[in-house]
Amino acid sequence: MAVRTIRVFGDPVLRAPSATIETIDDGIRALVQDLIDTVELPGRAGVAAPQIGVGLRAFSYNIDGDIGYVLNPEIIELSGEPQYIGEGCLSVPGLWHDALRYPHAAARGIDLDGREVVVEGDGLMAQALQHETDHLDGKLYLSRLTPETRKLAMREIRESDWF
């Protein structure tokens, strides 16, 4: 359908918890296609619906060429010792900081046919599942930073040309 514009820090849609998708219709199918089209651009690991201005529980991912989506995702497993790992966000352009993430994650949701799907992985996939699910809960990765790093990130945001 279309590559959609990414909403940036300060947009209220990024702070609001997303609504559960109740009915899969043409609008939801179009949303999924837009999420996929938007995540296919180089350098993108995931895009959550709120990042394109839609307050529904859906995200797409693009990890090592594996492109997919999940509707109504919930994290069902986090394992390993949480660690700080470099992370950025399309909604906070230009920033890159260490965020606290588990090395393994699994998310359960549904596909466009209403069938249950489970997506899981280690490394970047685990990070993306946690990051995108946070978006659906109205959280940005900034909340996963140490207090000192978050203070630095907020200063960088205030000084950025996009804010």
Side-chain angles (χ1 to χ4, degrees):
M1 289 275 178
V3 172
R4 302 272 295 270
T5 301
I6 300 294
R7 303 291 182 97
V8 296
F9 179 88
D11 190 314
V13 73
L14 296 173
R15 288 294 197 186
S18 297
T20 300
I21 295 170
E22 301 292 339
T23 304
I24 297 171
D25 56 18
D26 288 344
I28 297 301
R29 284 186 273 284
L31 170 63
V32 167
Q33 189 60 57
D34 287 353
L35 286 168
I36 290 171
D37 290 347
T38 304
V39 82
E40 285 181 321
L41 294 178
R44 295 185 172 184
V47 175
Q51 291 182 281
I52 60 171
V54 180
L56 293 174
R57 292 191 70 81
F59 68 75
S60 59
Y61 57 87
N62 182 357
I63 307 297
D64 299 325
D66 179 18
I67 297 171
Y69 70 93
V70 183
L71 306 177
N72 296 333
E74 294 181 65
I75 297 290
I76 58 171
E77 180 186 348
L78 295 170
S79 60
E81 192 64 35
Q83 54 193 279
Y84 283 95
I85 185 166
E87 190 165 316
C89 180
L90 298 170
S91 294
V92 192
L95 273 70
W96 187 265
H97 293 286
D98 288 345
L100 189 62
R101 298 290 183 192
Y102 286 86
H104 179 84
R108 178 177 48 225
I110 59 172
D111 66 13
L112 285 172
D113 295 319
R115 293 184 301 239
E116 181 178 293
V117 295
V118 175
V119 180
E120 68 179 302
D122 300 316
L124 185 56
M125 178 60 89
Q127 190 175 7
L129 292 173
Q130 293 167 79
H131 182 106
E132 301 311 326
T133 303
D134 276 354
H135 273 301
L136 303 180
D137 294 335
K139 297 178 186 174
L140 293 172
Y141 91 106
L142 301 171
S143 67
R144 303 287 181 179
L145 307 178
T146 65
E148 302 80 28
T149 304
R150 188 170 195 282
K151 185 176 178 180
L152 169 65
M154 295 307 292
R155 183 170 65 242
E156 291 172 333
I157 290 169
R158 285 189 301 277
E159 294 172 354
S160 70
D161 58 0
W162 55 263
F163 183 64

